[in-house]
């Protein structure tokens, strides 16, 4: 890995729409983890993110990392233009003390980053966010202003893509191969899912929110993320009543917030399972939740940058939708990715013992219910498979390697930018001397 003369000489400004305390947004968790890991690696990191309330302070520190919130968050198309202009002005005024600006998506913030970096002569790096239909390249097709974000992105010094599908998609849309750099999502093993930790975690959670109180033998199904239409939580809610009928002590934890929170609560209450359900809101740190739960359910393309990797790191048995992006993320490098059948898969795979994850058909409540029941019926084996999945993914795609790749890329981009400015200055001096 190439390094600058002094590890602390690399100064990076991260820009993102969502950061602490927006725990229900996967992008916030990803950006917080990236900032923390870069800081621990010796990089000087600061973060720029919008204010979502007038009472929020414009400056604070997150784990010793300075965070700036100079602009009000956009709430409409009109305020989006004002937000981008304000952000661009702030970046132009403050970015000269940094070597590089990195945007965590290629949306409106990326326009401000590229313009400000160009004006101040520093490097700019963009991260292509999202997966599949939820990705930035898919969003670019939604409007003329979104297409402008794609056009501006080609002026950045580097673009980071997180998977091969996104890279192919961007090349097809005219992005040069030399501009794209693939750095896949990394995995850690920082959480130990031991029984003594499980009991302690449940006690801590019960002290924070009485709805999370459970008995030692209670089984807990956890789902985290945004509460929105056609999301994982809606599918899980539709399976709760029949599962609880067979397992009266079963608990479901819906952790997060979103526009469908009230309708989800009303549905569960009308279904008569309110006493078995907890909806405690968002948690900035999901470590205790992952340790305390028995099963983690994930059913869509959101949450693949932080939420699902956190479940893998906790070695919690995973029930996941049979989606290509999830298969790709949860398959260790070097192991062939199983092809997803074009027809709807059966409720019970032919070889469930060979699978590290319990897969279900997207949007089908019966398939999800069977996958959860099968996992709960054989918890010792499910835990062993979860531990093996964590070992395999940490070996093939460790988070430390991903952070090294980020630092290596940023260092090279900064050096190339510096060398380019030096060549321009030398050429200008030569012209003046010749004159």
């Amino acid at each position: 890995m190439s390094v600058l003369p002094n590890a602390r000489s690399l100064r990076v400004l991260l820009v993102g729409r969502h950061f602490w305390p927006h725990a229900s947004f996967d992008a916030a968790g990803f950006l917080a983890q990236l900032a923390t890991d870069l800081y621990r690696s010796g990089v000087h990191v600061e973060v720029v993110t919008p204010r979502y309330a007038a009472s929020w302070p414009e400056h604070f520190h997150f784990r010793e990392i300075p965070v700036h919130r100079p602009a009000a968050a956009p709430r409409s198309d009109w305020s989006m233009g004002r937000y981008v202009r304000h952000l661009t002005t702030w970046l132009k005024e403050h970015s000269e003390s940094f070597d590089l600006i990195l945007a965590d998506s290629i949306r409106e913030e990326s326009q401000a980053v590229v313009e400000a970096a160009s004006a101040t002569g520093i490097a700019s790096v963009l991260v292509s966010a999202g997966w599949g239909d939820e990705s930035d390249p898919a969003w670019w097709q939604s409007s003329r202003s979104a297409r402008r974000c794609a056009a501006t992105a080609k002026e950045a010094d580097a673009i980071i893509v997180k998977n091969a599908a996104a890279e192919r998609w961007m090349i097809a849309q005219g992005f040069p191969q030399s501009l794209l750099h693939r750095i896949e999502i990394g995995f850690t093993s920082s959480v130990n899912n031991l029984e003594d930790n499980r009991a302690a975690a449940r006690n801590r959670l019960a002290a924070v929110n009485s709805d999370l109180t459970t008995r030692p033998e209670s089984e807990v199904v956890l789902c985290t993320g945004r509460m929105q239409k056609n999301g994982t939580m809606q599918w899980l809610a539709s399976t709760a009543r029949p599962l609880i009928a067979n397992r009266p002590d079963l608990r479901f934890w819906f952790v997060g917030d979103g526009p469908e929170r009230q309708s989800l609560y009303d549905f569960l209450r009308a279904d008569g399972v309110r006493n078995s359900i907890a909806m405690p809101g968002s948690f900035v740190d999901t470590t205790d939740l992952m340790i305390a739960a028995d099963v983690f359910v994930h059913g869509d393309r959101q949450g693949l940058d932080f939420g699902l990797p956190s479940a893998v790191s906790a070695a919690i048995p995973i029930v996941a939708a049979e989606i290509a992006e999830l298969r790709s993320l949860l398959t260790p490098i070097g192991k062939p990715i199983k092809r997803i059948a074009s027809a709807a898969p059966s409720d019970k795979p032919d070889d469930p013992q060979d699978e590290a994850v319990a897969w279900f058909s997207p949007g089908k409540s019966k398939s999800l219910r069977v996958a959860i029941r099968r996992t709960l019926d054989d918890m010792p084996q499910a835990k062993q498979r979860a531990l093996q999945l964590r070992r395999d993914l940490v070996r093939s795609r460790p988070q430390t390697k991903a952070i090294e790749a980020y630092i290596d890329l940023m260092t090279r981009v900064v050096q190339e930018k510096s060398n380019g400015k030096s060549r321009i200055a030398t050429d200008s001096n030569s012209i003046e001397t010749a004159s």
Side-chain angles (χ1 to χ4, degrees):
M1 179 181 69
S2 59
V3 295
L4 292 175
N6 184 332
R8 282 286 180 185
S9 64
L10 183 60
R11 300 175 61 86
V12 177
L13 185 61
L14 305 180
V15 180
R17 183 81 56 87
H18 299 288
F19 193 68
W20 186 92
H22 289 170
S24 64
F25 286 91
D26 196 63
F30 171 78
L31 189 59
Q33 183 181 49
L34 177 62
T36 302
D37 289 345
L38 289 175
Y39 176 82
R40 290 173 178 169
S41 299
V43 177
H44 177 88
V45 178
E46 298 187 25
V47 178
V48 178
T49 189
R51 294 191 313 278
Y52 283 80
S55 59
W56 286 19
E58 291 193 18
H59 305 281
F60 72 101
H61 279 74
F62 172 79
R63 298 174 184 171
E64 301 180 331
I65 298 169
V67 179
H68 311 277
R69 295 193 286 212
R75 301 185 184 278
S76 65
D77 291 340
W78 177 82
S79 62
M80 177 62 75
R82 183 178 61 181
Y83 162 69
V84 172
R85 289 191 298 271
H86 193 161
L87 177 61
T88 304
T89 300
W90 191 93
L91 290 174
K92 287 179 179 179
E93 293 175 353
H94 296 84
S95 61
E96 286 187 344
S97 59
F98 295 89
D99 302 302
L100 179 144
I101 314 177
L102 182 146
D104 72 342
S105 69
I106 310 181
R107 302 205 176 189
E108 287 86 358
E109 287 82 4
S110 66
Q111 292 183 299
V113 166
V114 171
E115 182 179 340
S118 177
T120 55
I122 66 174
S124 60
V125 174
L126 311 179
V127 180
S128 179
W131 299 68
D133 295 339
E134 306 288 339
S135 67
D136 289 343
W139 176 77
W140 296 338
Q141 315 305 315
S142 63
S143 67
R144 185 167 56 185
S145 60
R147 287 190 289 272
R148 283 199 297 269
C149 293
T152 303
K154 295 177 182 178
E155 301 174 15
D157 294 293
I159 294 176
I160 295 173
V161 293
K162 300 173 184 175
N163 57 80
E167 186 174 9
R168 290 193 297 269
W169 201 343
M170 295 184 71
I171 291 174
Q173 296 196 34
F175 284 79
Q177 177 75 59
S178 59
L179 186 62
L180 306 179
H181 304 267
R182 196 198 311 178
I183 303 178
E184 299 193 3
I185 295 297
F187 294 87
T188 66
S189 57
S190 58
V191 177
N192 292 318
N193 197 13
L194 303 176
E195 287 303 316
D196 56 343
N197 289 339
R198 178 174 180 266
R202 288 191 172 191
N203 289 335
R204 288 192 294 269
L205 291 170
V208 171
N209 189 313
S210 60
D211 284 351
L212 299 177
T213 301
T214 60
R215 297 190 299 175
E217 62 273 17
S218 298
E219 297 170 321
V220 174
V221 176
L222 170 66
C223 186
T224 65
R226 295 282 292 164
M227 298 178 178
Q228 54 193 27
K229 288 185 178 179
N230 301 319
T232 304
M233 293 195 189
Q234 282 195 337
W235 299 341
L236 185 58
S238 65
T239 70
R241 184 174 56 80
L243 285 170
I244 293 171
N246 292 326
R247 287 179 148 82
D249 198 33
L250 183 62
R251 297 291 182 267
F252 287 82
W253 291 353
F254 296 85
V255 178
D257 291 289
E260 296 300 314
R261 178 182 177 86
Q262 187 60 46
S263 62
L264 183 67
Y265 176 83
D266 292 341
F267 174 84
L268 292 167
R269 185 176 58 180
D271 230 16
V273 296
R274 176 65 188 89
N275 292 335
S276 301
I277 302 297
M279 298 175 63
S282 293
F283 278 64
V284 175
D285 187 344
T286 60
T287 300
D288 278 348
L289 292 166
M290 297 292 182
I291 295 175
D294 295 288
V295 177
F296 182 83
V297 177
H298 195 98
D300 53 40
R301 294 177 177 85
Q302 298 192 35
L304 304 192
D305 293 338
F306 181 75
L308 188 56
S310 297
V312 172
S313 297
I316 178 175
I318 295 172
V319 174
E322 186 82 354
I323 298 173
E325 289 82 2
L326 272 67
R327 275 280 189 185
S328 175
L329 180 67
L330 296 176
T331 300
I333 294 176
K335 183 178 180 180
I337 300 175
K338 292 193 175 184
R339 183 179 64 85
I340 297 176
S342 56
S346 62
D347 293 330
K348 187 173 183 179
D350 294 334
D351 55 350
Q353 297 302 320
D354 294 336
E355 294 280 11
V357 174
W359 300 101
F360 70 92
S361 302
K364 295 195 174 182
S365 299
K366 181 182 178 182
S367 180
L368 173 57
R369 185 167 63 251
V370 169
I372 294 175
R373 182 180 296 137
R374 187 172 62 246
T375 302
L376 293 173
D377 285 343
D378 192 10
M379 281 305 298
Q381 188 64 30
K383 289 181 179 179
Q384 287 300 316
R385 290 196 293 266
L387 285 167
Q388 186 61 50
L389 177 66
R390 182 175 70 178
R391 282 194 292 267
D392 292 342
L393 288 173
V394 168
R395 287 170 185 165
S396 64
R397 295 202 296 271
Q399 175 69 358
T400 53
K401 186 177 179 180
I403 294 301
E404 287 177 0
Y406 268 88
I407 295 175
D408 181 72
L409 174 62
M410 292 189 296
T411 300
R412 287 189 284 111
V413 169
V414 169
Q415 289 175 340
E416 290 169 3
K417 196 80 171 182
S418 178
N419 292 339
K421 288 193 291 186
S422 298
R423 284 195 299 271
I424 293 173
T426 301
D427 292 342
S428 299
N429 292 335
S430 299
I431 292 172
E432 291 176 2
T433 302
S435 300

